[in-house]
Amino acid sequence: MDRTVIAYVIYLVVSIGLTVWVARTLSRNGRVFLSEVLHGDEKLADAVNHLLVVGFYLVNFGFVALYLSDDDTVTDTRGVFETLSAKLGVVLLVLGVMHLANVYVLNRIRRRGMMQREQNPPVPPQGWTAPAVQA
């Protein structure tokens, strides 16, 4: 088997494994965060969480597939490791940037919701108090 093909197979296996692991971790831990952002609406939080995971898979698998091709031919074992480290490093950076972008957007939504809740008084006004007269 050609060393270039071996590098491609290892790259695909590791990239797909990392993408699935990151997506499951984000899905599991992000559910609680989404529930708070969406004011405790569990069904909506689950739906948004699922949509985010599907989008995460589509973007990452698409990137992994597009980044698979390489013009260079791997001729030795050192070349396999160099090719894999470069390709997997870029995939990890893309996964990290996507994760940070998701957290940033969700945090902005959460903050906006918290600001709207703070504008409403916790209880409606009960009455009126006359100002104190100073002598």
Side-chain angles (χ1 to χ4, degrees), residues 6 14 16 18 25 34-35 40 43 47 49 58 60 69 82 84-85 93 100-101 113 118 121:
I6 293 171
V14 173
I16 291 170
L18 283 170
T25 302
L34 281 171
S35 180
K43 286 181 81 174
N49 195 20
L58 290 173
N60 282 300
S69 67
E82 289 174 354
L84 283 174
S85 67
L93 288 173
L100 292 176
E118 288 175 0

Side-chain angles (χ1 to χ4, degrees), residues 34-42 109-110 113-114 116-117:
L34 281 171
S35 180
E36 182 191 337
V37 168
L38 300 171
H39 311 294
D41 189 349
E42 298 292 327
I109 293 169
R110 179 177 162 260
M114 288 175 64
Q116 287 174 351
R117 280 182 280 187

Side-chain angles (χ1 to χ4, degrees), residues 11 67 78-92:
Y11 165 73
Y67 200 61
R78 178 180 175 186
V80 170
F81 283 104
E82 289 174 354
T83 301
L84 283 174
S85 67
K87 287 187 174 294
L88 291 175
V90 171
V91 168
L92 289 172

Side-chain angles (χ1 to χ4, degrees), residues 102-130:
N102 279 338
V103 170
Y104 176 77
V105 168
L106 291 173
N107 194 33
R108 296 273 314 230
I109 293 169
R110 179 177 162 260
R111 256 198 244 152
R112 186 179 308 143
M114 288 175 64
M115 288 175 63
Q116 287 174 351
R117 280 182 280 187
E118 288 175 0
Q119 290 176 355
N120 299 330
V123 294
Q126 302 290 321
W128 186 99
T129 304

